[in-house]
Every structure is written in structure tokens, then in C-alpha cells.
């Protein structure tokens, strides 16, 4: 298993990982989000995990802001993360997160935010951001899903609202949207 910075020749393989991991329309949206993040944030940290020359996992960290009372703080957003289904539960996702956080720490990034399952991310140092004085960028993000990790450059005055880059809004990749009955195939229950 090798872990390295994504290269341009990986783009198709990375897209395939996201399509297979997320599936359906959401998979396609994530592929578009990744393309846009590469374009909009050339300094984004994009790592791939390789097995026998095949890309099997991908993680991306890109710029975001924290609107703190004293000043805007450059922070990072962890999204997306995916491991191809047949390679899941072998520690690949965890390794990608750990490697990314280490590189961001070395770059002096103070805070990394994400939306995700606390059952997974709490093992990797993330905790509920609301408990540390941070505010969600959308009411559609459940409190428990809004998570943060504080790195070496973090200072206690760094509190406030997390602000996604425009790219996440452009692709409507913030929070959860309501699922209509039609979409999940739920009947009215009266027939
Ligand atoms: C989430 C994901 C990246 C994890 O990658 P992975 O390489 O399988 O993860 P790891 O091997 O490091 O960790 C596996 C452990 O995490 C758990 N886990 C995986 N996804 C989880 C989730 N959504 N919630 C809680 N636990 C989760 C597994 O149960 C496993 O625990 P166990 O070994 O105790 O059974 C991968 O499952 C995936 O690509 N999922 C689809 C895309 C996705 O949801 N991405 C994250 C949101 S951006």
C-alpha cells in the first residue's frame, strides 16, 4: 500500500473511486466537486492510496475560512474521502486521514473541519466542533456531524463560524437536503 500526492494522470482513477464508493448521482456530484476544487484551490492537498499500481482511495483537503472575532483564519475542509468498496475496512481511509493531517500540521494549518459520522472520525482525533466554540455553516448539518480537529497552530482565540469555500456551495455539497417521499419510494400508506 502506497500513499502519495495525487498526480494529473490519477484523475480518472480517482473519479472511478468516488463513483464506486458513493454511487449514483451523488458519486457524479462528488467527481465534479473534486474537479472544481482542483481548479479553484491549486494548493488543495489531494492524496491517493495505491495498491499494485491501482488507485484505491482518495482524500482531499481544501481551503476554507473561520470567521473569528479577531480576524479571518485560513483553515481546511476535509472532503471528500472515499475508498473503493472492495478495499474498505482495511485501514486505508484512516491512513489517508492521518497522512493528510500530518501534512497540514506541518504547513501550519490550525484547524480542519468536516461533516461526517462521529463513530468513524472520533478515532482519528476529530470531535464535535460545536463543543469547542465553532458554529456550523448551515443549519442542515447535524451538530454531531460537524467535527473539527485542532492542530499545533491552533490558538484559543480561534473560535467562530466555519465558512466553506464557494465551490462547496456551487455543487450544493453542504449539509443534508430533505429527502422527499418520491425519492425514497415511500408510499402514502393509505392504499
Ligand atoms: C468512509 C470510508 C472512507 C472509510 O474507509 P475505510 O478504508 O473503509 O475505513 P478504515 O478501514 O480506515 O476504517 C474502517 C472502520 O471504520 C468503520 N466505518 C466505515 N465507515 C463508517 C461510517 N460511515 N460510520 C462509522 N464507522 C464507519 C468501519 O465499520 C470499520 O470499523 P471496524 O473495523 O471496527 O469494523 C469508506 O467506507 C467509504 O469510502 N465510504 C463511502 C464514501 C463515504 O461515505 N465517504 C465519507 C464521507 S465524505
Amino acid at each position: 500500500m502506497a500513499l502519495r500526492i495525487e498526480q494529473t494522470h490519477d484523475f480518472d482513477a480517482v473519479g472511478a473511486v468516488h463513483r464506486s464508493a458513493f454511487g449514483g448521482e451523488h458519486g457524479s456530484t462528488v467527481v465534479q466537486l473534486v474537479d472544481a476544487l482542483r481548479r479553484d484551490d491549486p494548493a488543495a492537498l489531494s492524496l491517493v492510496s495505491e495498491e499494485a499500481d491501482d488507485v484505491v482511495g482518495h482524500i482531499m483537503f481544501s481551503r476554507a475560512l473561520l470567521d473569528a472575532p479577531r480576524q479571518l483564519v485560513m483553515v481546511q475542509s476535509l472532503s471528500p474521502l472515499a475508498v473503493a468498496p472492495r478495499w474498505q475496512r482495511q485501514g486505508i481511509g484512516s491512513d489517508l486521514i492521518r497522512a493528510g493531517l500530518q501534512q497540514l500540521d506541518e504547513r501550519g494549518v490550525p484547524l480542519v473541519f468536516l461533516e461526517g459520522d462521529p463513530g468513524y472520525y472520533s478515532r482519528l482525533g476529530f470531535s464535535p466542533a460545536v463543543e469547542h466554540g465553532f458554529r456550523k455553516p448551515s443549519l442542515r448539518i447535524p451538530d454531531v456531524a460537524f467535527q473539527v480537529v485542532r492542530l499545533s497552530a491552533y490558538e484559543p482565540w480561534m473560535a467562530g463560524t466555519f465558512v466553506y469555500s464557494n465551490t462547496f456551495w456551487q455543487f450544493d455539497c453542504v449539509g443534508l437536503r430533505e429527502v422527499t417521499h418520491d425519492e425514497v419510494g415511500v408510499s402514502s400508506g393509505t392504499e
Side-chain angles (χ1 to χ4, degrees):
M1 183 64 57
L3 221 155
R4 59 173 175 77
I5 299 274
E6 181 197 48
Q7 307 291 316
T8 50
H9 67 258
D10 297 318
F11 289 0
D12 287 349
V14 165
V17 167
H18 288 296
R19 281 198 188 87
S20 65
F22 287 101
E25 200 180 320
H26 187 50
S28 303
T29 304
V30 172
V31 173
Q32 291 176 52
L33 173 72
V34 168
D35 276 343
L37 288 171
R38 290 184 190 118
R39 184 189 63 229
D40 298 347
D41 182 5
L45 177 60
S46 191
L47 299 174
V48 295
S49 182
E50 223 177 20
E51 179 67 36
D53 290 337
D54 283 335
V55 172
V56 299
H58 175 245
I59 193 167
M60 203 153 186
F61 299 85
S62 58
R63 70 181 168 205
L65 291 171
L66 180 74
D67 183 16
R70 190 186 295 184
Q71 65 188 63
L72 289 171
V73 183
M74 298 295 285
V75 298
Q76 290 275 306
S77 159
L78 188 174
S79 178
L81 163 67
V83 174
R86 70 172 284 247
W87 293 98
Q88 291 177 5
R89 306 186 86 140
Q90 298 178 41
I92 296 172
S94 302
D95 285 349
L96 283 165
I97 295 169
R98 282 193 207 96
L101 292 180
Q102 188 181 336
Q103 293 198 30
L104 294 178
D105 200 28
E106 286 163 9
R107 289 184 189 183
V109 170
L111 294 158
V112 180
F113 291 86
L114 63 78
E115 293 175 38
D117 190 320
Y120 183 64
Y121 291 100
S122 61
R123 312 173 189 191
L124 296 152
F126 286 85
S127 56
V130 172
E131 292 176 10
H132 301 297
F134 302 109
R135 291 186 66 177
K136 304 184 286 192
S138 165
L139 292 175
R140 294 178 291 96
I141 305 172
D143 277 0
V144 290
F146 176 50
Q147 296 171 71
V148 68
V149 67
R150 294 171 293 178
L151 301 178
S152 319
Y154 164 78
E155 294 177 28
W157 61 266
M158 295 175 181
T161 304
F162 172 62
V163 184
Y164 271 111
S165 69
N166 192 42
T167 319
F168 281 88
W169 298 105
Q170 195 184 337
F171 289 90
D172 200 10
C173 286
V174 176
L176 303 171
R177 288 277 165 211
E178 284 177 2
V179 178
T180 64
H181 282 190
D182 287 349
E183 281 168 315
V184 292
V186 175
S187 72
S188 65
T190 54
E191 66 270 51

